[in-house]
Amino acid sequence: MHIEWSTFVIQLVAFLVLYLLLSKFAFGPLFGMMEKRRQLVKDQIQTAEASRKQADQLLEEQKQALQQTRKEAYDIIEQAKHTGSKQADDIIHAASAEASRLKDEALKDIENEKNKAVAALRSQVGAMSVLIASKIIEKQIDEKSQEELVEHYLKEVGGNV
């Protein structure tokens, strides 16, 4: 193999000229576009990462808000149960007090009616005593018969009380 130096040099010069032309007009813009594309991809990755972090943060905030809402709902339910229980106790207490008041009034009414009945009986006993006395005078009985008659009428009156 024999190398022709003249052809070799011409090819080497042509290659260098082509390389210089390509580096000036092709490689520079090509590498610039590739750098811009690399930077664009890098920015998009960073934006996506920031968006993911923000989404994670919003998700955590929503979870906390939901948890807080559940706690508030539970507290409201517990308070409603407590209030309902207290109201039930108040109603029972009021009903018990009303029943006690009605019972006391009924006992007072009974006592008043009893006193009226006793007063009526006393007036009847007085009337009977007068009747007995008039019968005694009419019959003119002895003292022993008079006592028996009084006891008999008192028993009748005592049995009606």
Side-chain angles (χ1 to χ4, degrees):
M1 267 200 77
H2 178 44
I3 298 180
E4 288 212 25
W5 288 105
S6 64
T7 309
F8 177 73
V9 172
I10 291 175
Q11 286 179 348
L12 184 64
V13 169
F15 177 76
L16 289 174
V17 168
L18 182 62
Y19 179 77
L20 288 173
L21 286 174
L22 283 176
S23 66
K24 182 171 184 166
F25 294 111
F27 293 148
L30 182 64
F31 289 144
M33 268 187 356
M34 289 176 63
E35 181 60 29
K36 285 180 184 177
R37 177 72 178 155
R38 187 188 66 78
Q39 188 63 37
L40 178 66
V41 169
K42 182 179 175 185
D43 289 345
Q44 287 177 344
I45 289 173
Q46 288 176 348
T47 303
E49 183 66 24
S51 296
R52 187 191 61 78
K53 285 181 181 178
Q54 186 178 12
D56 287 345
Q57 183 181 7
L58 288 174
L59 179 64
E60 187 62 32
E61 288 174 4
Q62 287 177 350
K63 284 181 182 178
Q64 289 176 356
L66 181 62
Q67 197 173 31
Q68 180 67 26
T69 303
R70 284 182 180 160
K71 183 183 180 304
E72 288 173 2
Y74 177 77
D75 290 344
I76 289 170
I77 290 170
E78 286 300 315
Q79 185 178 8
K81 284 180 184 178
H82 178 71
T83 302
S85 176
K86 185 174 183 271
Q87 286 177 346
D89 290 344
D90 290 346
I91 290 170
I92 290 170
H93 180 70
S96 176
E98 180 67 15
S100 178
R101 184 187 65 79
L102 291 174
K103 179 182 168 188
D104 290 343
E105 284 181 10
L107 289 174
K108 287 179 184 177
D109 288 345
I110 290 170
E111 186 66 28
N112 287 339
E113 291 299 318
K114 179 182 166 187
N115 289 339
K116 286 179 186 177
V118 168
L121 284 176
R122 283 189 181 151
S123 68
Q124 286 179 359
V125 167
M128 289 182 135
S129 296
V130 170
L131 181 63
I132 291 172
S134 66
K135 284 187 180 184
I136 290 175
I137 293 174
E138 288 176 6
K139 290 187 178 181
Q140 293 187 359
I141 54 176
D142 63 359
E143 193 174 307
K144 187 175 180 184
S145 297
Q146 184 180 358
E147 284 180 20
E148 287 176 4
L149 189 58
V150 168
E151 284 185 31
H152 173 69
Y153 283 118
L154 285 177
K155 282 182 185 178
E156 281 183 22
V157 171
N160 291 335
V161 177

